[in-house]
Amino acid sequence: MDPLRRPLIAGNWKMNAGGSDGCDLALAVARAAAELDEVDVVVAPPFTALAAVSNELYNKKSEVGVAAQNLHWEESGAFTGEVSAPMLRVAGATWVIIGHSERRQLFGETDEMVAKKIAAANAGGLKPIVCVGETLAEREAGETLAVVARQVKAAVIELGRAGGEGVVAYEPVWAIGTGKVASPEDAQEIHAAIRKLLAEADAELAVTTRLLYGGSVKANNAEGLLAQLDIDGALVGGAALDADGFGKIAEIAAKLARQGKTE
Ligand code: PGA
């Protein structure tokens, strides 16, 4: 973590907590994060709970932000089952996760589609959290950096248009939901490479863009990862469904941010 950037801890609920259980979870996260002034905390409920969660957080005057997990690049029209940026804004979202590996792998999202979605987020006033990361086969073939570079390069123009508000989440696919976490050193190496790629496009963008690590982040492994210079936060899946554990990860980020400021 670098004191230049504010830490961001985002919880991706995936296809869970889509009803009143989502409101309960969001309120528990709001309580856990209430005193954590040094860190941005975001929750990403399924579409069905977005508006209700946003309302609950608004009513409680919580600073916890709301992200959608996906969007369509068009504003409206005949796209059955899809949801657009303006709709997400109306539902109270201010963030959107784009290009998660589950979307890329299970729903055929390409780098091109990801770029179009980032453009739509920018146009619709949503801050994009763009996911990149290699599969196990790609890692074993020694292609990690090439894959991540391809994904980042495909996104960089639109990330530039997001100014410093865009976020890149490095999530090695083999670490997602598997309990296998990248070592802090390995994760730092890839984050530094991503920052370098951003710098090649725009030096200011590299300084302002927050880079998150994702993949089996838990309260008991977060500190080593978040202590790395180029890791500005975490995108948390499974552990985000437990407000206490998720709150602990945010607490660790806040503690490291305080330490960084006094050093
Ligand atoms: P995980 O998921 O924390 O359950 O590994 C992370 C993600 O998919 O964003």
Side-chain angles (χ1 to χ4, degrees):
M1 223 173 242
D2 187 316
L4 276 175
R5 291 172 292 274
R6 215 174 132 73
L8 169 62
I9 304 296
N12 174 11
W13 296 357
K14 308 193 180 185
M15 201 166 70
N16 299 290
S20 62
D21 50 346
C23 291
D24 296 343
L25 178 55
L27 289 178
V29 168
R31 282 193 294 276
E35 310 290 319
L36 305 177
D37 298 331
E38 302 82 358
V39 45
D40 289 336
V41 176
V42 169
V43 292
F47 290 142
T48 51
L50 269 182
V53 162
S54 301
N55 278 335
E56 292 281 2
L57 292 172
Y58 178 82
N59 289 338
K60 290 281 182 303
K61 300 190 169 42
S62 171
E63 300 279 321
V64 171
V66 176
Q69 299 174 17
N70 182 30
L71 84 170
H72 193 273
W73 54 81
E74 294 291 343
E75 285 192 8
S76 63
F79 301 100
T80 302
E82 296 292 329
V83 177
S84 70
M87 292 171 182
L88 296 174
R89 279 303 301 248
V90 168
T94 52
W95 296 85
V96 60
I97 298 171
I98 297 176
H100 189 279
S101 65
E102 286 150 17
R103 301 241 28 111
R104 291 180 190 258
Q105 292 205 306
L106 305 175
F107 302 100
E109 271 186 27
T110 62
D111 289 340
E112 256 186 338
M113 291 159 82
V114 168
K116 282 163 83 167
K117 290 182 176 202
I118 306 170
N122 289 340
L126 294 166
K127 293 174 268 192
I129 301 175
V130 182
C131 302
V132 300
E134 81 287 3
T135 63
L136 183 60
E138 288 162 343
R139 185 174 194 90
E140 285 173 346
E143 292 168 358
T144 298
L145 279 173
V147 169
V148 170
R150 190 202 75 224
Q151 292 171 334
V152 171
K153 282 183 184 160
V156 79
I157 291 180
E158 293 305 335
L159 274 170
R161 296 195 174 123
E165 304 270 41
V167 170
V168 178
Y170 168 60
E171 300 202 303
V173 179
W174 48 270
I176 294 179
T178 58
K180 288 187 199 139
V181 62
S183 73
E185 297 72 26
D186 283 356
Q188 163 60 24
E189 187 189 333
I190 308 299
H191 280 72
I194 294 172
R195 205 173 297 286
K196 195 156 163 264
L197 286 165
L198 296 177
E200 281 163 15
D202 176 346
E204 177 69 12
L205 186 66
V207 175
T208 50
T209 301
R210 288 180 286 187
L211 306 184
L212 312 184
Y213 171 80
S216 295
V217 176
K218 311 253 177 302
N220 64 12
N221 61 22
E223 182 146 7
L225 291 157
L226 294 173
Q228 302 298 314
L229 187 66
D230 287 299
I231 302 184
D232 306 309
L235 181 54
V236 183
L241 297 173
D242 164 42
D244 289 342
F246 184 65
K248 285 213 177 73
I249 299 169
E251 258 173 49
I252 292 166
K255 183 188 83 178
L256 289 169
R258 279 197 294 274
Q259 283 172 1
K261 289 230 168 64
T262 54
E263 265 166 23

